Amino acid sequence: MSKPTPLSGFPELLPAARTVEREVVATLSRTFELHGYANIETRAVEPLDRMAKGGEIDKELYVLRRLQAPDDSADDTGPDRQLGLHFDLTVPFARYVLEHAGHLEFPFRRYQIQPAWRGERPQEGRYRQFTQADIDIVGKDELPFHHDVEVMRVMVQALGSLPLPRLSFQVNNRKLIQGFYRGLGIADVTAAIRQIDKLDKLAPEAVAELLVENAGATREQAARCLELATIRVSDHTLVQRVQALGVDDELLSRGLVELSAVLEGCADAVRASDGRVTVEANLRIARGLDYYTGTVVEIFMEGYERLKSVGGGGRYDALASDGRTTYPGVGISFGLSRTLVPLISEGVLTGSRAVPSAVLVALADEESRLTSERVADSLRSRGIACEVAPSPQKYGRQIRYAERRGIPFVWFPATETGVSDQVRDIRSGDQVDADAATWTPPHADLRPTIVTTIDNPEENTQ
């Protein structure tokens, strides 16, 4: 077999880097589960007619078919129904809720950490196969607003416990901006939201022209829309700043109350993150998808703004419906691959070792392999990962073997009766008598950990 050619857009991590991803997944999962979110995993494929909506995303769908399937064999209702790999976790989750609603208790809290696929041009932070971490709460016919605050707070806590560059949650509310545009008298509110959503790509003057051309706004109304979009605050001054613009609308008032509640509800979690996470109202955040109906959020990573948002989500009141029952929800998606792969490739994050083993049990000779295996089994029985040296080389070579693999301890079984086993910390050179039935390495050495070059964010705020 010839040497394979790498496929761009399908990142594969080496063992030490995979340690980073696994530790992040484990940390997120623990936090989500502490808040009562159940883990689910949906199938990799969905019917094309459920995913394809005639928009830009249709160009990126990967279609799934049998190699030998005749072109005319597809049956839109049978086993050969046209399928595609899911491009996010929201579409399959909406289908999951509809399909299993009779077996779920509502409100249903779910977290899901899975790959998705998009056939877009590969570049930093954008891949053809990538992993996302999503949390959602879904209700049946109604879902009280306090769940918006809950989801936001949970994701702030989860991401605030990770060794990442500072993350900024930029929050807005669709009711607020819809009410503001309606109060101004703009004819096409939805079109106005779509134009404002382009502010991260276009200059304000260009967006103002689009508001006039595509949303029917006057130039004065367009200027007021841009004035609202400049507001960015993280405290109670939000209300005064918006009210000072002099626009009155009932929907605007409701959105302002909800957005203020999100900021207040996340304050404790932000403080507990020790500077790793900030949350602020940013009234230019719109998220162009029409199914968002209230809270919306985009997540950005400090120093990596070139990646654009690394997460986002919001409130959707009618994403899933079977015609009789509507399942409103609120959720946030965090791009694991989008965030971690650039950090790993730049050496900002790495694993403390490439193997799970904390101990290498040395091998004096082949005749004593059973003795070394018994030591290893004794350590494993108490949750200490270890491996036996592959061959009975000189102890110096076995120590160097452990060093290359990042294994911190080497265990030397006693070769004479009445003599104790010994264990060496190969980093310090300290070697002591030890009993495999009782010895335990320091907690920090039990399993691989994430090593980061990131300064403590709290120190950066001094």
Side-chain angles (χ1 to χ4, degrees):
M1 180 180 179
S2 60
K3 185 176 179 179
T5 301
L7 287 176
S8 62
F10 295 89
E12 291 182 324
L13 301 179
L14 292 173
R18 175 69 171 146
T19 290
V20 174
E21 185 179 59
R22 287 192 54 175
E23 287 300 300
V24 167
V25 168
T27 299
L28 293 177
S29 299
R30 282 194 299 271
T31 303
F32 297 155
E33 290 176 7
L34 282 173
H35 289 270
Y37 288 72
N39 180 237
I40 68 168
E41 182 172 312
T42 55
R43 64 200 185 203
V45 298
E46 295 293 333
L48 282 179
D49 58 2
R50 184 173 291 276
M51 293 192 293
K53 302 299 181 183
E56 286 297 311
I57 194 66
D58 290 7
K59 302 174 184 177
E60 301 173 359
L61 290 175
Y62 279 111
V63 177
L64 190 71
R65 64 187 294 270
R66 290 183 294 118
L67 180 63
Q68 300 298 329
D71 292 338
D72 59 353
S73 68
D75 179 352
D76 286 342
T77 59
D80 288 325
R81 184 180 184 182
Q82 286 190 311
L83 303 175
L85 294 170
H86 60 234
F87 60 85
D88 70 2
L89 301 183
T90 302
V91 171
F93 176 56
R95 187 268 312 159
Y96 181 95
V97 169
L98 290 174
E99 190 169 330
H100 302 288
H103 303 282
L104 301 176
E105 289 293 328
F106 295 95
F108 176 53
R109 292 174 173 82
R110 143 284 198 181
Y111 80 92
Q112 193 172 349
I113 304 176
Q114 275 186 247
W117 295 266
R118 292 188 183 185
E120 59 183 348
R121 183 175 65 84
Q123 54 186 299
E124 184 186 38
R126 290 188 177 274
Y127 311 105
R128 291 171 174 170
Q129 178 176 314
F130 53 94
T131 300
Q132 292 186 191
D134 286 20
I135 58 170
D136 287 84
I137 304 177
V138 173
K140 190 173 184 178
D141 287 325
E142 63 177 2
L143 185 71
F145 165 74
H146 65 80
H147 291 296
D148 291 39
V149 180
E150 176 191 332
V151 162
M152 196 74 61
R153 187 172 60 243
V154 170
M155 189 60 90
V156 167
Q157 289 182 359
L159 299 185
S161 62
L162 300 177
L164 301 174
R166 183 183 286 110
L167 295 168
S168 173
F169 283 64
Q170 303 290 307
V171 193
N172 200 355
N173 191 290
R174 291 283 287 246
K175 294 174 186 172
L176 188 161
I177 50 180
Q178 285 175 319
F180 186 87
Y181 300 157
R182 191 172 72 180
L184 282 176
I186 292 178
D188 193 338
V189 170
T190 300
I193 291 175
R194 291 198 185 113
Q195 310 319 312
I196 290 293
D197 199 37
K198 298 174 182 177
L199 275 171
D200 62 337
K201 301 176 183 177
L202 301 175
E205 298 78 12
V207 173
E209 289 298 324
L210 292 174
L211 285 167
V212 173
E213 295 172 9
N214 299 332
T218 66
R219 296 198 178 279
E220 181 181 352
Q221 290 170 333
R224 301 293 298 283
C225 290
L226 292 173
E227 194 175 354
L228 180 75
T230 63
I231 295 177
R232 290 183 64 166
V233 294
S234 57
D235 55 27
H236 64 277
T237 61
L238 169 69
V239 176
Q240 294 93 313
R241 292 280 300 276
V242 174
Q243 290 178 342
L245 297 178
V247 176
D248 185 39
D249 184 88
E250 186 273 333
L251 189 62
L252 164 63
S253 299
R254 257 196 295 154
L256 191 54
V257 168
E258 291 185 359
L259 183 54
S260 299
V262 169
L263 294 179
E264 183 179 353
C266 291
D268 287 344
V270 169
R271 285 191 289 269
S273 75
D274 292 329
R276 294 187 184 278
V277 176
T278 62
V279 177
E280 69 175 345
N282 182 345
L283 303 195
R284 66 183 285 177
I285 298 295
R287 291 189 68 81
L289 297 174
D290 291 341
Y291 60 69
Y292 288 113
T293 55
T295 302
V296 287
V297 61
E298 298 271 9
I299 306 171
F300 299 89
M301 187 161 61
E302 187 176 277
Y304 290 83
E305 290 79 7
R306 64 182 184 272
L307 300 177
K308 304 300 183 183
S309 66
V310 296
R315 174 73 178 228
Y316 43 88
D317 284 320
L319 182 65
S321 176
D322 61 7
R324 300 184 304 276
T325 304
T326 298
Y327 299 92
V330 58
I332 303 176
S333 175
F334 178 65
L336 276 178
S337 300
R338 186 173 192 141
T339 303
L340 296 182
V341 173
L343 294 175
I344 290 169
S345 65
E346 293 182 6
V348 176
L349 300 178
T350 187
S352 58
R353 56 183 187 259
V355 297
S357 304
V359 180
L360 175 74
V361 182
L363 189 63
D365 50 48
E366 278 300 331
E367 289 69 28
S368 63
R369 182 174 290 278
L370 182 58
T371 298
S372 294
E373 291 287 1
R374 285 172 177 162
V375 170
D377 286 341
S378 179
L379 294 170
R380 292 175 188 136
S381 70
R382 293 186 297 109
I384 302 170
C386 58
E387 56 188 86
V388 175
S391 60
Q393 298 176 313
K394 292 180 180 181
Y395 281 162
R397 291 188 176 182
Q398 294 187 52
I399 291 172
R400 287 193 291 275
Y401 174 83
E403 286 177 330
R404 290 195 302 272
R405 295 168 72 78
I407 301 173
F409 295 94
V410 176
W411 191 284
F412 300 101
T415 56
E416 301 176 19
T417 304
V419 178
S420 298
D421 289 9
Q422 293 194 325
V423 64
R424 173 183 290 186
D425 184 334
I426 64 175
R427 298 160 298 186
S428 66
D430 294 340
Q431 187 166 319
V432 297
D433 292 347
D435 182 348
T438 58
W439 178 86
T440 301
H443 181 75
D445 291 324
L446 264 177
R447 53 182 293 113
T449 57
I450 299 175
V451 178
T452 176
T453 62
I454 301 168
D455 294 332
N456 187 323
E458 188 71 6
E459 295 176 359
N460 294 339
T461 64
Q462 299 303 313

